Amino acid sequence: MTESYQSLNEHLTESSTILLLAPADDSPDDRACIDLLTRKPPDETNVLSVTLSASPSDRLSIWRRESGAELPARTAIFDGRRGETEGGLSDAEPGSPSEPESTSGPGSPFESESMSVRRFPEHPDLHDIGLAIAEQLGAWRDTDETTVMCLHSLTALFAAYDADQVVSLIASLNHLCDTRDVVAHHHVDPSELDTETVTTLRPLYDAVLEYAPDVGWIPTEREEAAPAPSFGSTTPPPGGRAKTDPDRPETVPMRYSFDTLLDLL
């Protein structure tokens, strides 16, 4: 276990994807988040923050409180909050910069050429979310700075979308981060998900950071897994086997796989 927030990265030197298990909107969760986003000094870092519950100004306030006034070299905040009307997002043009009322005007924390705040398209599905993230990571691919990502939170995704598809998106995003040298962490409030779902998530990450109030943070890094066995000869693919090719499905259950879409970017 570890109680020093600045030591969290020392325990996760080989980890690119990290599952952060802690109560939402609590000091330990906030401090660990910023610690993971600051493996390197801010001026050597690109930060992608995907917020699905808190406002962009709330997430930026946490950065300022925990890390100081210096902002990253580049910052992109994707605002995925759902509006008060059913299935809607707050009023803003899809894909356009957004400035919440609380942050507008002189001295706004969003007054920076290196920072952008954007919303997902109206009524986004998981493909829209995955593509937006992948496009932003791709835009920074050739920069000299280290890119880090925070997704806050998976709890909100599971509440809004099909659980199996959320797991598929997570696996694809983690693979993308591994291949592009992006250090990403995803927040989960374990009290809001059932034990089976949390158990399913753990092996999808290089490391798990779990907070226990009586002992502090418990970091666990995944050991190198053995090659996954292939069941191609015994298990039919979703939709059944095609008549012309037994290894190809007869139908495709989703419009595209997440991996296929993200690999195109």
Side-chain angles (χ1 to χ4, degrees):
M1 71 179 180
T2 178
E3 296 183 3
S4 170
Y5 296 92
Q6 293 305 317
S7 71
L8 289 179
N9 285 312
E10 297 174 8
H11 292 266
L12 305 170
T13 55
E14 302 300 322
S15 298
S16 174
T17 56
I18 301 154
L19 178 64
L20 196 61
L21 295 171
D25 303 321
D26 202 353
S27 178
D29 184 65
D30 294 344
R31 292 181 65 186
C33 174
I34 302 306
D35 190 31
L36 294 174
L37 292 178
T38 52
R39 283 192 176 185
K40 292 190 175 181
D43 62 353
E44 299 177 18
T45 305
N46 303 321
V47 174
L48 171 58
S49 175
V50 181
T51 177
L52 303 173
S53 51
S55 69
S57 57
D58 287 340
R59 301 307 298 169
L60 186 58
S61 294
I62 292 171
W63 172 277
R64 291 189 182 278
R65 185 180 71 239
E66 300 296 342
S67 71
E70 185 178 3
L71 293 174
R74 298 175 186 82
T75 304
I77 304 177
F78 285 175
D79 184 357
R81 293 172 296 161
R82 289 178 176 268
E84 294 183 1
T85 57
E86 182 178 357
L89 296 175
S90 304
D91 293 334
E93 283 217 19
S96 65
S98 162
E99 292 188 6
E101 290 183 2
S102 61
T103 61
S104 60
S108 165
F110 294 98
E111 287 183 358
S112 171
E113 293 181 359
S114 64
M115 177 180 293
S116 64
V117 180
R118 298 187 176 277
R119 299 194 189 279
F120 293 118
E122 189 174 5
H123 310 302
D125 61 20
L126 290 175
H127 289 87
D128 296 320
I129 294 173
L131 283 171
I133 292 172
E135 287 175 351
Q136 185 61 61
L137 296 180
W140 289 340
R141 189 172 189 177
D142 295 327
T143 64
D144 294 331
E145 292 77 15
T146 296
T147 296
V148 295
M149 183 181 84
C150 164
L151 196 162
H152 189 282
S153 68
L154 295 185
T155 311
L157 281 183
F158 278 107
Y161 299 97
D162 175 77
D164 288 340
Q165 292 196 19
V166 172
V167 170
S168 178
L169 173 64
I170 293 167
S172 297
L173 288 176
N174 284 351
H175 174 71
L176 182 69
C177 289
D178 281 335
T179 58
R180 295 193 176 177
D181 296 323
V182 174
V183 179
H185 72 268
H186 300 168
H187 293 256
V188 169
D189 184 343
S191 67
E192 297 294 327
L193 298 180
D194 59 72
T195 303
E196 182 180 357
T197 300
V198 175
T199 301
T200 299
L201 291 175
R202 289 177 182 271
L204 300 180
Y205 294 83
D206 296 331
V208 176
L209 269 177
E210 187 167 8
Y211 184 76
D214 52 341
V215 297
W217 288 101
I218 305 172
T220 306
E221 283 197 288
R222 183 181 62 186
E223 296 181 1
E224 284 296 323
S230 172
F231 299 99
S233 60
T234 59
T235 304
R241 298 188 186 280
K243 297 180 178 63
T244 56
D245 183 353
D247 292 324
R248 180 172 59 82
E250 183 68 42
T251 59
V252 178
M254 298 176 62
R255 52 176 173 152
Y256 297 103
S257 72
F258 291 115
D259 279 333
T260 300
L261 285 172
L262 300 187
D263 284 344
L264 291 175
L265 298 174

